[in-house]
Amino acid sequence: MPHLCAGFLLAAAAAAMAPATQPATDFRVEHVYSKDDPAVFKPDYVTKTGWQERAAFLRTQVMVAQGLWPLPPRTALNAAVYGKIDRGDFTVEKVAFQSLPGHYVTGNLYRPKETPGQKYPAVLVPYGHWPGGRFMWVSDADIQKQIAAGAERDPNAARSPLQASCAMLAKMGCVAFQWDLVGYCDSKGIEHQQGFLDADAVLRLQSFMGLQTWNSVRALDFIEGLPDVDIARVACTGASSGGTQTIQLEAIDDRLTASAPVVMVSMNMQGGCVCENAPLLRIDTDNVELATLFAPKPQAAVAAEDWTKDFLTRGLPEMKNVYALFN
């Protein structure tokens, strides 16, 4: 009996020291994707039809992931536009409307000085995670630093760059609407990054990102209803999280006619906030492919010294591959 016990212990020790037998590879753990290491877009479509089939699938995926498939009912906006300020060649007004009953979207509406009967192109301008949001107000010292570095030329524009971009669009003859991130400025019903984080919300595909994308759709509804807007000429542009919002809106709403998602069309970082990520959203895809869903409509993508710095060699060629299918 002692010999049997000793033999068993020796066998067990030898088994413990032997190299582990490798299980068959599970494709789910071959590579772990993340917001910083997404699936890479490698278009190899020979025909336009092949891409269109993929695009239709992806649009559904985007909507399902954000709890927007099918789209919710378009309840009454009950929009209020008030407090007009005259800036000489353009005006600024306050806006509040309900994207869902009881949930308000707030922002500013910039308009050229009205010419009776004239309709203007419109630009939707979502913004990102800047301190203060559209109330961003830069100190004198920081303004001087930006001017010295060549990042800014006009002290007034540097003081409030988010508002300055909308003011310039209005001076150029566009109606511009800029609205708040959820939890920023006048939109304080839900604290930013704090909503829809529980398991019940995830299981029901309710997310911070889905709410913001729906706010973008309703912002387009609001713009479409303005009497001085030419709905055949509506663009969307934003940077950082505003770029993410632009990509999502252009993916699911075909009313946009031009877009410019700034510093978010990338094969690298895909957005660092819960308002830029939703379960199921980027399975087998990335921001470059999602932005390409806008083809063949005109689109500008901006790169900078950040996660988009390699866009000219990783991202732009792939987008051109798809746009070429439409000549």
Side-chain angles (χ1 to χ4, degrees):
M1 194 65 151
H3 295 293
L4 289 175
C5 290
F8 176 79
L9 291 173
L10 286 171
M17 291 185 290
T21 302
Q22 292 293 327
T25 301
D26 188 328
F27 76 94
R28 293 172 296 178
V29 294
E30 285 182 358
H31 184 92
V32 179
Y33 295 113
S34 69
K35 69 176 179 64
D36 297 312
D37 187 16
V40 176
F41 178 36
K42 296 179 179 179
D44 56 358
Y45 302 97
V46 178
T47 66
K48 183 170 62 177
T49 301
W51 164 250
Q52 289 172 325
E53 291 174 353
R54 169 65 173 166
F57 177 88
L58 277 178
R59 288 191 184 96
T60 302
Q61 178 171 309
V62 167
M63 296 172 73
V64 168
Q66 296 180 71
L68 299 176
W69 188 86
L71 287 174
R74 281 178 159 85
T75 52
L77 290 172
N78 296 322
V81 181
Y82 59 100
K84 181 180 288 188
I85 299 172
D86 191 326
R87 291 300 188 192
D89 47 1
F90 69 96
T91 61
V92 187
E93 295 166 280
K94 300 174 184 178
V95 172
F97 63 77
Q98 296 183 67
S99 62
L100 296 164
H103 176 72
Y104 286 87
V105 175
T106 52
N108 287 129
L109 181 66
Y110 299 74
R111 287 165 144 159
K113 272 295 183 66
E114 292 184 20
T115 300
Q118 183 168 347
K119 288 185 177 290
Y120 300 95
V123 184
L124 297 171
V125 192
Y127 62 77
H129 297 88
W130 280 274
R134 64 187 165 89
F135 297 161
M136 181 180 182
W137 200 250
V138 179
S139 68
D140 290 340
D142 285 339
I143 288 173
Q144 292 307 314
K145 288 179 183 178
Q146 292 186 44
I147 291 175
E152 291 282 2
R153 292 182 294 176
D154 185 325
N156 291 323
R159 177 76 69 190
S160 183
L162 294 180
Q163 294 190 51
S165 63
C166 295
M168 181 56 73
L169 285 166
K171 289 165 72 73
M172 294 169 63
C174 298
V175 173
F177 177 55
Q178 184 172 72
W179 66 100
D180 292 322
L181 279 170
V182 177
Y184 273 60
C185 300
D186 292 323
S187 178
K188 294 294 181 67
I190 302 172
E191 185 177 350
H192 196 74
Q193 297 183 326
Q194 296 304 310
F196 311 103
L197 302 179
D198 56 290
D200 284 344
V202 174
L203 289 171
R204 289 166 173 78
L205 296 173
Q206 297 171 340
S207 67
F208 217 99
M209 187 180 195
L211 177 58
Q212 286 200 164
T213 298
W214 182 242
N215 286 351
S216 298
V217 172
R218 300 315 311 269
L220 184 47
D221 290 344
F222 166 70
I223 282 288
E224 186 178 36
L226 296 176
D228 54 343
V229 165
D230 179 0
I231 194 59
R233 294 184 293 163
V234 179
C236 185
T237 182
S240 191
S241 173
T244 301
Q245 293 174 70
T246 301
I247 292 170
Q248 299 307 307
L249 181 59
E250 68 183 18
I252 69 171
D253 200 315
D254 60 7
R255 289 176 293 175
L256 289 179
T257 51
S259 78
V262 178
V263 296
M264 279 314 301
V265 184
S266 170
M267 291 194 179
N268 303 309
M269 199 275 289
Q270 304 290 288
C273 180
V274 294
C275 76
E276 300 178 79
N277 293 280
L280 310 178
L281 178 65
R282 295 187 182 89
I283 293 177
D284 293 329
T285 190
D286 66 359
N287 278 2
V288 176
E289 186 174 25
L290 295 180
T292 308
L293 293 176
F294 201 57
K297 295 178 181 179
Q299 178 170 209
V302 179
E305 286 296 320
D306 55 24
W307 50 87
T308 59
K309 64 184 179 182
D310 61 353
F311 173 69
L312 291 180
T313 56
R314 295 182 69 242
L316 180 60
E318 287 77 8
M319 294 183 78
K320 284 185 172 181
N321 178 288
V322 171
Y323 269 78
L325 298 173
F326 295 87
N327 296 318

